[in-house]
Amino acid sequence: MKLSKAAVAIIAALMTSSCMQKQQPKVTGLVAIDQCGYVTRTEKMAFISVEAKEFRLIDANGNSVMVGNVGAPQYWAESGDSVRTIDFTDINAEGTYQIVVDDTIASYPFVIAAHPYAELARMSVRAYYYNRTATAIDAEHGGKWVRNAGHPDTLVKVHSSAASKARPEGTIISSPRGWYDAGDYNKYVVNSGITTYTMLLAANQMKEMAARTDLNIPESGDSIADILDETLYNLRWMLTMQDPNDGGVYHKLTTLSFESFIMPDECKNQRYVVAKGTAAALDFAATMAFAARTLPEQSASLASLADSCRQQAAAAYAWAVKNPNVAFRNPAGVSTGEYGDRFFGDEWFWASVEMYLLTGEDSYKETALANLAPMAVPSWVYVNALGYYSLALSGKEIEGLDAKTAIVATADSLVAEAKKSPVALSMTRYDWGSNSTVANMGMLKLIAGMISTDKKYYESALDDLHYILGRNATGYCFVTGAGSKPCMNIHHRPSAADNIEDPVPGFLCGGPNTVVPTDCGPTNTRSQYPAKAYADETCSYSTNEIAINWNAPLTFLVWGIENAK
Ligand code: 9MR
Ligand code: 9MR
């Protein structure tokens, strides 16, 4: 049959009309990618947990640059999903891309670049600036998240639990500065210890990056690296938490109960320093000893601060020797964060290693050896890894304590675990703050890489970062203000009370866990699968709070990745 000219024209018109056009692939979070991008010349993978056969990688103009097969499904026990791998490692040209699966599903756009995380590296430290207590956040440094100065903490009362002869109950002390711990407005020494140390370690291990990274904070432009300036804001507060009369360290500075969701300058409740404790004293001693040893290398102008750190570290350690078993529990009438810990072997180990590295005195070495235990991924409650880090990176040695071998062996077991995982993840247990567990694992691997130079540690740390930035079971990028679908409704009082839609940027949210499934009310709407048990809701303090000790390993991880090339 011969078609008339008119018929041909009609068919041609139909073919280009929308009803005949192939459907545009739908952009969804179903393709789990690192929403902040991938580093050129590294392994690049995305995961998908729905039925899928073929994928294409398209560039910013929509042109296919790669076609490949989606991998076979593998069961991920913690998420309950069968996960398939999309591997586009071969593509290294810098640019913006999308993954299209079976011509129906498209990922969010993402970049491949030599330095995809440069801004994230800044944001993760700038988050601390936003959590400063006694500083007004101005437009020049804070952008739209302007707020008044929060708690001055110059008229803090000594709580009955902390009373001593020299400082009886009700004594007024001044304990200004420091960061708010988290989404609440209190300041806790135990948690500040690991946080401050981790930030100091990042600044110390990556001095050049620290020196060139302008964070746009009030101190920017002075002679000290911005990341260090930011950290010293908290360290200087910590120094005020020691009772100069006996060297003991108060566990926390807090209201009696949590403030409601109001801006910090609206808070009017009395603040107290509460009970001294062994964990606070040892974490304080360790952090200050590290600061005393390393600050002078950073800047001559920090010599006198380092001297105070040295003296106060020794006094805190001496208090702990006299009070070796004072476990902190919230006293009657105090209901804020507890950070309670009954086992101090790891704190003794860390503090003793730091004191030995600072002073060279044998008694510290002996105490460190007496508290030797297999190293574990660090958290606020278990800190022996920090002693291993310091020793391994110090260039010094302690006979009978092979820190380098221990770190590399621990990293090896984490890498082996990730190799077994369908999503290249070392973590199998989802605790409160699980995202920080992932970040601390990544940090540990990077430190192993600093010691051994084997590239596999860097690659595996990169997988940890990919998980945090969106390659996980929830579809969220777990850092506020980053990626295509970041967490929005963090359990963070200023972010909830400031009438600004976007949360304060740069914060790592806690992440999935099944610890308090009812934090948003008795009806459990969270998944039973730990990797999916996450709620981007303000009420979900157990999955969506932020905390200083969670951001610190994120900073180390992102800085370490950015600095590695
Ligand atoms: O807001 C509090 C948060 O900062 C803590 O991490 C969390 C766990 O201690 O507790 C939150 O406060 C909640 C309290 O524990 C129970 N009642 C609801 C509070 C949050 O609105
Ligand atoms: O990070 C802490 C987590 O390990 C505990 O299980 C939890 C409950 O005690 O508390 C977390 O720390 C919170 C602290 O108590 C108060 N400020 C907010 C912290 C993060 O949620």
Side-chain angles (χ1 to χ4, degrees), residues 29 43 52 57 82 85 103 122 137 173 182 184 202 218 251 269 279 294 369 381 416 437 458 471 516 527 531 536:
E43 191 173 62
L57 198 68
S82 289
T85 299
D103 288 326
R122 294 181 68 246
I137 307 301
I173 67 164
D184 65 326
H251 186 80
N269 289 313
T294 58
L369 288 168
V381 77
T437 308
Y458 164 85
R471 211 177 65 181
V516 191
S527 172
D536 183 21

Side-chain angles (χ1 to χ4, degrees), residues 262-314:
I262 55 176
M263 292 303 282
D265 62 308
E266 291 166 6
C267 298
K268 298 287 173 266
N269 289 313
Q270 179 62 46
R271 313 247 290 174
Y272 298 86
V273 286
V274 179
K276 294 166 186 168
T278 305
L282 290 172
D283 288 340
F284 177 102
T287 306
M288 296 311 159
F290 181 79
R293 179 162 61 88
T294 58
L295 288 181
E297 300 164 17
Q298 299 266 17
S299 166
S301 65
L302 294 172
S304 80
L305 178 64
D307 209 44
S308 304
C309 293
R310 173 190 304 268
Q311 287 170 30
Q312 292 193 232

Side-chain angles (χ1 to χ4, degrees), residues 387-429:
Y388 282 97
Y389 293 166
S390 279
L391 179 58
L393 298 170
S394 70
K396 294 191 188 135
E397 286 183 0
I398 293 181
E399 211 190 311
L401 205 180
D402 190 346
K404 289 185 179 173
T405 302
I407 292 169
V408 168
T410 309
D412 280 341
S413 68
L414 292 174
V415 171
E417 197 63 54
K419 287 259 180 290
K420 285 193 276 171
S421 158
V423 290
L425 194 62
S426 305
M427 181 175 72
T428 52
R429 220 184 91 175

Side-chain angles (χ1 to χ4, degrees), residues 510-553:
N513 72 72
T514 51
V515 183
V516 191
T518 54
D519 54 6
C520 286
T523 330
N524 176 12
T525 53
R526 269 175 30 217
S527 172
Q528 305 286 324
Y529 288 102
K532 283 185 173 166
Y534 169 74
D536 183 21
E537 291 181 52
T538 307
C539 49
S540 187
Y541 57 81
S542 70
T543 74
N544 216 25
E545 191 161 357
I546 59 91
I548 56 173
N549 62 314
W550 301 342
N551 255 64

Side-chain angles (χ1 to χ4, degrees), residues 90-158:
D90 289 348
I91 305 301
N92 284 303
E94 294 206 1
T96 302
Y97 299 89
Q98 276 175 288
I99 296 163
V100 178
V101 177
D102 293 335
D103 288 326
T104 52
I105 302 170
S107 73
Y108 304 121
F110 61 88
V111 298
I112 294 176
H115 290 280
Y117 313 123
E119 185 50 27
L120 185 68
R122 294 181 68 246
M123 284 166 68
S124 73
V125 187
R126 282 179 44 74
Y128 291 95
Y129 163 68
Y130 287 112
N131 245 30
R132 290 188 189 190
T133 52
T135 299
I137 307 301
D138 60 27
E140 186 190 344
H141 306 103
K144 65 180 167 182
W145 293 277
V146 171
R147 65 161 171 83
N148 294 330
H151 300 76
D153 286 336
T154 48
L155 298 168
V156 175
K157 281 190 180 168
V158 173

